[in-house]
Amino acid sequence: MSQEATRQFCYGKIHRALVTDAQVDYVGSITIDPVLLQASGILPYTQVDVVNVNSGGRLQTYVIEGEMHSGQICLNGAAAHLFNPGDLCIIMGYEDVPVSQLPGRIHKAVLVDAKQGNRIVGIRELVTPHPNQVGNANRYGEEFNTVLQEAGVAK
């Protein structure tokens, strides 16, 4: 019996956050404010890709929780060599999803204001199309309102 194929799906990301610190002498990972984790659906100890918007560098690491409402984004260990405080980054969480379950699946993009301590300014939820809908101009930029209070953030 064959098993259904899976695809890597980006279920959540924190978009253009400010790197607040980089600690070389810490056991590796990325420390993130739990408010941002809750809003994006990214869980502690799960693998993420982190992209440095300033340099174009990219790495994989795992998440640990920082202090609630701190706006903290800190690269730790060897990853600290690739990021400097003040850099902008994009943090993306992925999951393996059976191909049949991709259409209708939601991707969350948490938009932050780096100039205001990584405060959430919006959350975009985009629905994955059925293969027949790819390229349909009517669904480009499709967004849904999300209650920010669930993430502990006032609108």
Short mmCIF file of all heavy atoms in Angstrom, two decimals, residues 26-31 59 61-64 74-80:
data_model
loop_
_atom_site.label_atom_id
_atom_site.label_comp_id
_atom_site.label_asym_id
_atom_site.label_seq_id
_atom_site.Cartn_x
_atom_site.Cartn_y
_atom_site.Cartn_z
N TYR A 26 25.64 31.42 23.61
CA TYR A 26 24.43 30.78 24.12
C TYR A 26 24.20 29.53 23.28
O TYR A 26 24.51 29.51 22.10
CB TYR A 26 23.24 31.74 23.99
CG TYR A 26 21.98 31.21 24.61
CD1 TYR A 26 21.73 31.41 25.96
CD2 TYR A 26 21.05 30.50 23.86
CE1 TYR A 26 20.57 30.91 26.55
CE2 TYR A 26 19.90 30.00 24.44
CZ TYR A 26 19.67 30.22 25.78
OH TYR A 26 18.53 29.73 26.36
N VAL A 27 23.64 28.50 23.88
CA VAL A 27 23.33 27.29 23.12
C VAL A 27 22.35 27.67 22.01
O VAL A 27 21.38 28.36 22.25
CB VAL A 27 22.71 26.22 24.05
CG1 VAL A 27 22.31 24.99 23.26
CG2 VAL A 27 23.70 25.86 25.15
N GLY A 28 22.61 27.18 20.80
CA GLY A 28 21.92 27.61 19.58
C GLY A 28 20.41 27.68 19.63
O GLY A 28 19.79 27.07 20.47
N SER A 29 19.84 28.47 18.76
CA SER A 29 18.40 28.62 18.58
C SER A 29 18.07 30.08 18.27
O SER A 29 18.96 30.91 18.10
CB SER A 29 17.62 28.18 19.82
OG SER A 29 17.97 29.00 20.91
N ILE A 30 16.78 30.37 18.22
CA ILE A 30 16.31 31.75 18.12
C ILE A 30 15.29 31.95 19.23
O ILE A 30 14.39 31.13 19.43
CB ILE A 30 15.70 32.06 16.73
CG1 ILE A 30 15.28 33.54 16.64
CG2 ILE A 30 14.57 31.12 16.37
CD1 ILE A 30 14.91 33.99 15.23
N THR A 31 15.46 33.01 19.99
CA THR A 31 14.54 33.36 21.08
C THR A 31 13.53 34.36 20.53
O THR A 31 13.93 35.37 19.95
CB THR A 31 15.32 33.98 22.26
OG1 THR A 31 16.34 33.07 22.67
CG2 THR A 31 14.39 34.27 23.43
N LEU A 59 19.09 30.57 7.45
CA LEU A 59 19.50 29.44 8.26
C LEU A 59 18.29 28.72 8.81
O LEU A 59 17.19 29.26 8.83
CB LEU A 59 20.40 29.89 9.42
CG LEU A 59 19.76 30.77 10.50
CD1 LEU A 59 19.28 29.93 11.66
CD2 LEU A 59 20.77 31.76 10.99
N THR A 61 17.01 26.74 12.31
CA THR A 61 17.28 26.57 13.74
C THR A 61 15.97 26.18 14.40
O THR A 61 15.00 25.87 13.72
CB THR A 61 17.90 27.84 14.36
OG1 THR A 61 18.36 27.55 15.68
CG2 THR A 61 16.94 29.01 14.37
N TYR A 62 15.97 26.18 15.73
CA TYR A 62 14.73 25.88 16.45
C TYR A 62 14.40 27.04 17.37
O TYR A 62 15.24 27.88 17.68
CB TYR A 62 14.84 24.56 17.22
CG TYR A 62 15.84 24.61 18.36
CD1 TYR A 62 15.43 24.93 19.66
CD2 TYR A 62 17.18 24.35 18.15
CE1 TYR A 62 16.33 24.98 20.69
CE2 TYR A 62 18.10 24.39 19.18
CZ TYR A 62 17.67 24.71 20.45
OH TYR A 62 18.57 24.77 21.48
N VAL A 63 13.16 27.09 17.80
CA VAL A 63 12.61 28.22 18.55
C VAL A 63 12.64 27.95 20.05
O VAL A 63 12.33 26.85 20.50
CB VAL A 63 11.14 28.47 18.12
CG1 VAL A 63 10.48 29.53 18.98
CG2 VAL A 63 11.08 28.83 16.65
N ILE A 64 12.97 28.99 20.83
CA ILE A 64 12.73 28.99 22.27
C ILE A 64 11.96 30.27 22.61
O ILE A 64 12.06 31.27 21.90
CB ILE A 64 14.01 28.86 23.12
CG1 ILE A 64 14.99 29.98 22.85
CG2 ILE A 64 14.67 27.52 22.88
CD1 ILE A 64 16.21 29.96 23.77
N CYS A 74 16.10 37.15 19.18
CA CYS A 74 17.53 37.01 19.48
C CYS A 74 18.07 35.75 18.84
O CYS A 74 17.58 34.65 19.12
CB CYS A 74 17.75 36.97 21.00
SG CYS A 74 19.48 36.76 21.46
N LEU A 75 19.09 35.90 18.00
CA LEU A 75 19.77 34.75 17.41
C LEU A 75 20.84 34.29 18.38
O LEU A 75 21.59 35.11 18.91
CB LEU A 75 20.39 35.12 16.06
CG LEU A 75 19.44 35.12 14.86
CD1 LEU A 75 18.87 33.76 14.59
CD2 LEU A 75 18.37 36.15 14.95
N ASN A 76 20.91 32.98 18.61
CA ASN A 76 21.82 32.42 19.61
C ASN A 76 22.82 31.47 18.97
O ASN A 76 22.55 30.86 17.94
CB ASN A 76 21.00 31.66 20.66
CG ASN A 76 19.98 32.55 21.33
OD1 ASN A 76 20.31 33.60 21.85
ND2 ASN A 76 18.73 32.14 21.31
N GLY A 77 23.95 31.30 19.64
CA GLY A 77 24.96 30.35 19.19
C GLY A 77 25.56 30.77 17.86
O GLY A 77 25.71 31.95 17.57
N ALA A 78 25.88 29.78 17.03
CA ALA A 78 26.51 30.05 15.74
C ALA A 78 25.67 30.97 14.86
O ALA A 78 26.21 31.77 14.08
CB ALA A 78 26.79 28.74 15.01
N ALA A 79 24.34 30.90 14.99
CA ALA A 79 23.45 31.76 14.19
C ALA A 79 23.70 33.24 14.46
O ALA A 79 23.46 34.09 13.59
CB ALA A 79 22.00 31.41 14.49
N ALA A 80 24.22 33.56 15.63
CA ALA A 80 24.48 34.96 15.98
C ALA A 80 25.56 35.58 15.09
O ALA A 80 25.63 36.81 14.98
CB ALA A 80 24.90 35.06 17.45
#
